[in-house]
Amino acid sequence: MNKKGIWPVIAVIMTAIILSGWYYAFYYNKQNFESSAEGTFLPEEYEPQYHVFEATINVNKNKFDQLLIEHRIDLREGSLKYALYNPNGKLVEKGEVKAGTPFAKTLKVKPIKGEWMAKYYINKETDGHYLLKMKSS
């Protein structure tokens, strides 16, 4: 091979090395994460001093583009208020759910490592179920 013919070969090899590095850094090296918390609220177990129920999910990976949060609440009776906080203590979402109107919402947020917390403010009539699921996207 002459000197003029070697440069295109070197350029092709270097391009392949750079593209392989980008593929590894941005696609292959991504982490998968999935975790959930669920529970039931029963009126017969209600105690006024425990009117705030907390559910936590520890996100221990963050090498992915988005964190998908699926939140479902289904009440047979009563109502509740909820608040979702990221690991920095910042409020992500809050709302109120009443019996007869199932709540289902999916949020896409920036992945932050640490303990995410949902607070459920219940009352003596609250009767139902919640599911909080987080996964990488």
Side-chain angles (χ1 to χ4, degrees), residues 89-107:
K90 182 180 176 189
L91 180 66
V92 175
E93 170 157 291
K94 68 179 181 175
E96 185 173 356
V97 179
K98 295 180 181 181
T101 310
F103 170 82
K105 191 162 193 178
T106 301
L107 302 171

Side-chain angles (χ1 to χ4, degrees), residues 11-26:
V12 168
I13 291 172
M14 292 303 294
T15 302
I17 290 172
I18 290 169
L19 290 176
S20 296
W22 282 348
Y23 173 78
Y24 178 79
F26 295 110

Side-chain angles (χ1 to χ4, degrees), residues 120-136:
Y120 300 95
Y121 302 88
I122 61 175
N123 55 57
K124 61 184 176 185
E125 289 89 27
T126 305
D127 183 7
H129 180 82
Y130 76 90
L131 172 65
L132 181 63
K133 186 176 181 181
M134 298 186 179
K135 61 182 177 179
S136 58

Side-chain angles (χ1 to χ4, degrees), residues 64-113:
F64 44 88
D65 296 329
Q66 291 182 324
L67 181 64
L68 230 65
I69 302 173
E70 295 177 24
H71 199 185
R72 289 187 224 138
I73 303 170
D74 189 13
L75 300 178
R76 291 179 290 277
E77 295 291 329
S79 64
L80 66 75
K81 292 182 180 180
Y82 71 91
L84 177 64
Y85 298 91
N86 72 17
N88 299 329
K90 182 180 176 189
L91 180 66
V92 175
E93 170 157 291
K94 68 179 181 175
E96 185 173 356
V97 179
K98 295 180 181 181
T101 310
F103 170 82
K105 191 162 193 178
T106 301
L107 302 171
K108 292 179 182 180
V109 297
K110 178 182 173 187
I112 301 174
K113 228 178 197 183

Side-chain angles (χ1 to χ4, degrees), residues 28-40:
Y28 182 76
N29 196 29
K30 287 190 178 183
Q31 297 175 327
N32 291 320
F33 172 81
E34 187 168 335
S35 187
S36 64
E38 63 182 307
T40 303

